[in-house]
Amino acid sequence: MLKGSTEQGSDSYGPSAVDRTDCQSQSGNPMQKGTVVNDAQGVRGDAVTSYKKAPTHTLTAGGVTFAYRDLGPKTGVPVVFITHLAAVLDNWDPRVVDGIAARHRVITFDNRGVGASTGSTPKTIEEMAKDAITFIRALGLEQVDIHGFSMGGMIAQVIAQDEPQLVRKLILTGTGPAGGEGIKNVTRLSHLDTVRALFTLQDPKQFLFFTRTAGGRRAGKQFLARLKERTHDRDKAISLTSYFAQLKAIHRWGLAQPQDLSVIQQPVLVANGESDRMVPTKNSYDLARRLPNADLVVYPDAGHGGIFQFHERFVAEALDFLER
């Protein structure tokens, strides 16, 4: 049932690490046996409030060493961010992360085989969801909110279905359901816009994430500039092997049979731009209709990266949703 409304309007990674064992989570629950936490730069005191300055940590669980960043207040339910195709830690818009982290603990991470995390990237969304659950559980967290953008939103849907007790609320942005319209075309669009970007000496995200209007082009340039604000302790770029594995997983998701989304009973905020080429905006409307407890926000003159183009409004809406 639709309850909402439509709105108008890389580099090297190599920090020194200190291994720590027998760690506990913020809730006091011991981490699962065999988990090792390495605190990059030894920061564990006062809460970090800037993504630009958030140290990179590593945590080993299930045979994978996950790279992650942790900022914001250490009380309340954390918000775990799960990111998009080809993205690493440095691809999150710092305005979005900082905006949420001003009032909530935010955890971003590289899933298996991505960026500085070890292992081989799975070729299905379902396997990626299992790895994300392993990471969350290894942190000792009993319940989280999840913000999944694009491919991350697909992963988030599976987590909510497989481990409903783990998820309090979901924010699904620029994403769609299994078998969603046009999702099988992500590979073709990504290849075409990558070539387009090479010929015009631009970043592919300028074409994939933003409209070609004056406002969209300006927003794209501003977004890409924000991604460069962090100049130290930057993450490793994704490998071509991992990138192609992710494309395979998204293609399979696009060809999959529709799932029964009525089983996701948690409150969900669905958001997107009105002109998303990568995951067509019709999928956002579809999600909002099929999820029993969903609100929908659609941003004008915006594409796949609508939440980055309208980051101030998105942060305000996300905070309101998380704190209801």
Side-chain angles (χ1 to χ4, degrees):
M1 179 171 63
L2 176 60
K3 294 187 176 181
S5 61
T6 301
E7 294 207 3
Q8 296 297 319
S10 288
D11 301 300
S12 63
Y13 167 85
S16 59
V18 178
D19 289 351
R20 295 191 179 185
T21 56
D22 300 324
C23 295
Q24 291 191 332
S25 71
Q26 292 297 323
S27 63
N29 295 323
M31 292 184 177
Q32 58 184 252
K33 186 176 181 181
T35 295
V36 179
V37 175
N38 313 301
D39 275 358
Q41 302 177 17
V43 178
R44 273 300 187 192
D46 296 336
V48 178
T49 57
S50 169
Y51 196 55
K52 177 181 177 180
K53 299 179 180 178
T56 303
H57 307 290
T58 60
L59 176 154
T60 300
V64 177
T65 297
F66 296 92
Y68 72 102
R69 294 177 188 154
D70 187 345
L71 66 161
K74 299 304 181 185
T75 57
V77 178
V79 186
V80 177
F81 281 40
I82 308 180
T83 197
H84 61 86
L85 168 71
V88 297
L89 294 171
D90 297 321
N91 287 108
W92 279 115
D93 189 333
R95 298 300 178 274
V96 170
V97 177
D98 292 354
I100 304 299
R103 291 180 2 209
H104 297 266
R105 182 182 178 188
V106 171
I107 299 167
T108 65
F109 74 105
D110 286 332
N111 216 336
R112 176 156 57 107
V114 176
S117 291
T118 65
S120 299
T121 300
K123 295 180 181 178
T124 68
I125 296 297
E126 290 76 13
E127 289 179 274
M128 293 178 186
K130 290 179 181 178
D131 290 329
I133 291 168
T134 295
F135 168 74
I136 293 168
R137 293 289 192 197
L139 284 172
L141 301 173
E142 296 181 352
Q143 190 175 54
V144 297
D145 296 326
I146 296 178
H147 172 206
F149 173 62
S150 192
M151 184 184 73
M154 301 167 193
I155 296 169
Q157 292 172 59
V158 176
I159 294 173
Q161 292 175 80
D162 290 352
E163 297 280 349
Q165 74 287 353
L166 183 62
V167 181
R168 187 185 72 116
K169 292 187 175 184
L170 282 174
I171 301 176
L172 303 177
T173 57
T175 194
E181 181 177 329
I183 295 177
K184 66 181 181 180
N185 298 325
V186 167
T187 298
R188 180 178 60 83
L189 282 171
S190 297
H191 290 340
L192 285 173
D193 280 357
T194 296
V195 172
R196 190 180 184 188
L198 286 171
F199 276 106
T200 57
L201 302 179
Q202 296 186 67
D203 190 300
K205 289 186 284 296
Q206 183 72 63
F207 300 104
L208 291 167
F209 280 23
F210 299 92
T211 61
R212 302 309 296 157
T213 66
R217 293 181 185 184
R218 181 171 58 252
K221 291 177 181 178
Q222 293 170 346
F223 167 70
L224 293 169
R226 293 195 296 272
L227 296 188
K228 297 178 182 178
E229 289 177 354
R230 184 183 179 102
T231 57
H232 73 285
D233 184 26
R234 288 183 64 86
D235 201 357
K236 290 181 179 178
I238 192 168
S239 69
L240 281 176
T241 300
S242 291
Y243 172 64
F244 286 121
Q246 289 182 343
L247 283 173
K248 186 71 172 180
I250 294 171
H251 189 72
R252 286 174 169 169
W253 181 262
L255 293 176
Q257 291 297 311
Q259 299 169 344
D260 179 10
L261 298 181
S262 68
V263 301
I264 299 179
Q265 295 291 318
Q266 295 92 334
V268 183
L269 175 63
V270 180
N272 204 351
E274 68 177 3
S275 302
D276 189 344
R277 292 174 61 243
M278 289 199 74
V279 184
T281 309
K282 288 183 179 180
N283 290 289
S284 296
Y285 286 98
D286 190 23
L287 282 172
R289 281 193 299 267
R290 292 165 59 192
L291 291 162
N293 193 13
D295 291 330
L296 174 66
V297 178
V298 176
Y299 300 107
D301 186 25
H304 192 60
I307 65 165
F308 308 133
Q309 182 169 342
F310 288 88
H311 54 87
E312 292 182 354
R313 287 168 59 179
F314 170 68
V315 166
E317 286 150 355
L319 288 173
D320 175 70
F321 168 74
L322 292 170
E323 294 164 7
R324 288 176 199 164

